Amino acid sequence: MSNKFVSLAAPGIANLQPYVPGKPVTELERELGISNSVKLASNENPLGPSPQVVQALHGEIAGLTRYPDGAAYALRTALAEKHGVDPACITIGNGSNDVLDMIARVFLHRGRESLFSQHAFAVYPLSSMAVGAELKVAPARDRGHDLEAMRQLVSPQTGVVWIANPNNPTGTWLQRDALYRFVQDLPAGVIVVIDEAYFEYVGEDDYPDASQWLDEFPNLVVTRTFSKAYGLAALRIGYGLSHPDIADLLNRVRQPFNANSFAQAAAVAALGDVDYLRRSVAFNNQGMVQLTRGFERLGLNYIPSVGNFVTVDVGRSATEVDMALLREGVITRPVENYGLQNCLRISIGLEEENARLLASLEKVL
Ligand SMILES: Cc1ncc(COP(=O)(O)O)c(C=O)c1O
């Protein structure tokens, strides 16, 4: 449909396609007149919130009429302690997407290139196009990031290189030595973002914590989120770790009160609830085994994943399979828009939700 104002929009906006979120359960149930559906579409934590978080949220209600702390003092202090960095290295976001967007606004513009991998997280092109940057997409290898292919695309125009480790929607990950060498080889004037949204789930020995490299690489930004293993997706809270000079620039474009008071208090409480985090990861590990064994039983190929989701090849149009699953009350995410033909991304749910997905998949296939 043509838009009569598109010629007035900033360059880059005309070709933008809005991010497609997973359908909310309430909307699906209203549309199909069903109840009891399960949502395995947005890589959320199926456990529900930590009781300590719920308590912290109650404590915030009395302050509802006041603006939140724009500097997020308590949260930045807690994060500085967790990561052993100065609070000046931390940029708080309304979700880590917000931090990714700030990075694009600060370091990309027309004439600059934004470099990422094929099948990489959708927000990198979105935020880059919105500021008029040119997209450079390195071909993937075995559906994961090919660092050599990415390195070859670095040019004098490269502004930002984005790496999700692990990546969404593939769940693939990069090993410590390879990623370290890649960052080391980049020109000092290229900003490299290592997006660790699923960091807490990864148990592999060779999986790097890129925040350990911040002292060595002033051009590095590491992003983390409370939306996944910490279970706070609805509140929208995440952060960036970087050299203070980068954080200073990001904070210049940050909206004054981008992280609300509930999100800040919940994040502080979530950091203190180590048991919740441990349970989240344990549940995820069990669910991953349950789902992947189920796929194997159904004869379906999947991409081995270290996140809280797994992408499976259903061998035919994923959009059609998704529609059929919706009619069974199971919401998943077709990822053909990521160049993954015939693939559905399925978030790990509770045991009964995973069982329901597998039974529905068997039925519709
Ligand atoms: C790789 C990756 N990065 C960042 C995000 C953004 O998460 P949030 O904005 O909720 O922190 C997501 C969310 O799905 C993701 O998959």
Side-chain angles (χ1 to χ4, degrees), residues 30-193:
R30 212 171 35 242
E31 270 177 30
L32 297 181
I34 57 173
S35 58
N36 235 345
S37 52
V38 299
K39 184 181 176 207
L40 301 175
S42 300
N43 303 347
E44 296 148 336
N45 191 321
L47 287 186
S50 138
Q52 291 181 34
V53 164
V54 173
Q55 199 183 353
L57 291 174
H58 281 296
E60 285 304 311
I61 291 174
L64 195 57
T65 56
R66 303 285 177 194
Y67 281 102
D69 174 3
Y73 176 80
L75 178 56
R76 282 166 78 229
T77 305
L79 288 171
E81 193 174 320
K82 172 182 162 67
H83 291 288
V85 299
D86 192 278
C89 298
I90 298 168
T91 307
I92 300 292
N94 187 280
S96 58
N97 273 339
D98 190 25
V99 181
L100 300 173
D101 204 56
M102 290 178 219
I103 295 168
R105 276 191 288 147
V106 170
F107 293 107
L108 291 173
H109 49 80
R110 237 182 166 172
R112 283 262 178 120
E113 294 172 358
S114 168
L115 171 57
F116 50 88
S117 172
Q118 184 187 13
H119 315 312
F121 183 48
V123 165
Y124 312 149
L126 262 182
S127 290
S128 304
M129 286 172 77
V131 294
E134 192 183 332
L135 308 184
K136 290 280 168 187
V137 185
R141 188 169 44 179
D142 296 334
R143 298 191 158 166
H145 288 40
D146 179 344
L147 292 177
E148 184 46 35
M150 291 186 76
R151 210 189 55 78
Q152 282 176 14
L153 286 182
V154 174
S155 81
Q157 284 72 47
T158 307
V160 180
V161 180
W162 314 83
I163 292 179
N165 196 31
N167 182 48
N168 167 23
T170 54
T172 50
W173 62 286
L174 292 162
Q175 296 187 340
R176 183 178 292 107
D177 287 354
L179 186 55
Y180 179 87
R181 266 183 276 116
F182 176 82
V183 176
Q184 194 175 36
D185 286 349
L186 281 176
V190 172
I191 301 298
V192 53
V193 179

